[in-house]
Every structure is written in C-alpha cells, then in structure tokens.
Amino acid sequence: MDGMRTPQRLAAEVLGTAFLVFIGVGAVPATLIVNGNAPFTMADLGMISLAFGTVVVATAYAFGHVSGNHINPAVTLALALTRRFPWREVPAYLAAQLTGSILGSLAILGVLGRRASEVGLGVAAYGQGVGAGQVAPATGASINPARTLGPMLVQQLWGGHVAWIQAPVYLTAEFLAGAAAAVAAYGLTRIHAVGTVREPAETAA
C-alpha cells in the first residue's frame, strides 16, 4: 500500500467489492435459475461458498498490495479501531465499497437479466423462526455490510421486493462482529508482544 495514491486505493476497493458481489452474490441467483424448480441443496450452498472463497483470494492477490483489499466496511472499521488504518480514510473506503457493491449487483442483472431479480438477486434475508446463531442458508450469512446493502438497493430500484426492516439487523450484527473481532485480535497480539519482550529478559536473568 505504500506509495499508492488515494484514488488508486479507492479504485481497488471499488473493483474488489464489485467482483466479490458479482461472483459471490451472483452465484446465488445463478444457482437458483439453473436449478429451476429443484430444491436448494447443501451441494448448491457449497458451490456458492466456493465462489465467495475463490473471489476473496483472487481479489486479495490482485488488489491487496494496492488498498489492503478490505472489500468489507466491517473490516475497515475493525482496522481503524485497532489503529491499523487511519480514521480520516474510513468514509472514503466505505463509500468505495458500497459503490463497488452496487456496480457488482448491476453486473449480475446485466449478465443474468431480469430473472436474477425475480429470484431475489442474492439479497440476504431471513424468514420467520430464525434465531441467534443460525447462518446460511437460514440468513444468507452476509457478514459484509456492503454485500448486504448493494443488492438490496439494486433490487429495490429494479422493482423487486426488499425487506428493509431486516437491514438494521444485518448491519448492526456485521459491524459489531467486526469490532469484537478487532478487539479480540488486538488483545491477543498485545499478549503475544508482552510475552515476547519478557522472555529474553527472564532468560538473561
């Protein structure tokens, strides 16, 4: 990231998040369209998970050296909380990630057509009876505020149904989880650092 200008870093975040949504989220409507009336299976879930995992690795290699490849507002916030990322750059990163998510969602429609919207566009949503601790396919396992909002916005603009009442649930959980993970990771690294400093001193004594 050293030596990279802000426009370059933001462009990388836009592209990385767009690819994440286009490939990862796009795998959901693609699978549903291909399946037709066939029931959704764990094998389908596995393929969608593989799509997400593959695109995260690919974007990390492609854009990691440019922007850090956050591609997730919760990650950006977590890094800022642990002083690994400047707060002054957080708003621009969040805007870039949301922009990328919207572009990725539009790309899904561009490739799959209106049928993608008809099967939900991969919008994360949960049904009645879903409780704490349940993940995909019960909730969509979004774990990314940009991935949550982008498809929702595009689906709404395309005339599809969006349960906006669920958005605060996803966003709150995603940001809180990112913050909790950041605090836990920071605490563990601090413990390790203290132990590393004390060990040579004890040996010398």
Side-chain angles (χ1 to χ4, degrees):
M1 290 175 60
D2 293 338
M4 293 293 176
R5 297 179 179 179
T6 299
Q8 292 174 311
R9 296 200 301 272
L10 296 181
E13 285 297 302
V14 170
L15 289 173
T17 312
F19 278 119
L20 173 70
V21 172
F22 176 60
I23 301 297
V25 178
V28 178
T31 299
L32 295 175
I33 291 170
V34 170
N35 281 358
N37 294 325
F40 187 86
T41 66
M42 293 306 292
D44 295 326
L45 179 61
M47 293 304 296
I48 293 169
S49 301
L50 180 62
F52 271 105
T54 301
V55 74
V56 168
V57 172
T59 54
Y61 275 102
F63 306 119
H65 67 289
V66 180
S67 68
N69 196 54
H70 298 187
I71 63 175
N72 185 334
V75 171
T76 300
L77 180 63
L79 291 172
L81 285 172
T82 54
R83 300 179 183 178
R84 307 275 175 104
F85 188 76
W87 279 103
R88 67 179 181 277
E89 294 188 24
V90 169
Y93 260 59
L94 299 190
Q97 291 154 359
L98 180 58
T99 299
S101 181
I102 292 172
L103 292 175
S105 301
L106 290 171
I108 295 171
L109 289 171
V111 172
L112 299 179
R114 186 163 188 83
R115 182 70 179 129
S117 177
E118 293 173 354
V119 297
L121 197 62
V123 171
Y126 56 86
Q128 293 183 351
V130 175
Q134 291 182 276
V135 293
T139 67
S142 176
I143 66 174
N144 184 332
R147 176 261 182 268
T148 298
L149 282 178
M152 280 185 163
L153 289 169
V154 173
Q155 177 73 334
Q156 182 72 61
L157 291 173
W158 222 254
H161 172 71
V162 176
W164 285 105
I165 194 172
Q166 296 182 4
V169 176
Y170 279 97
L171 298 179
T172 301
E174 290 156 358
F175 278 117
L176 285 179
V183 171
Y186 182 75
L188 290 173
T189 54
R190 291 288 294 173
I191 291 172
H192 176 72
V194 171
T196 304
V197 171
R198 287 179 176 176
E199 188 174 341
E202 291 172 356
T203 302

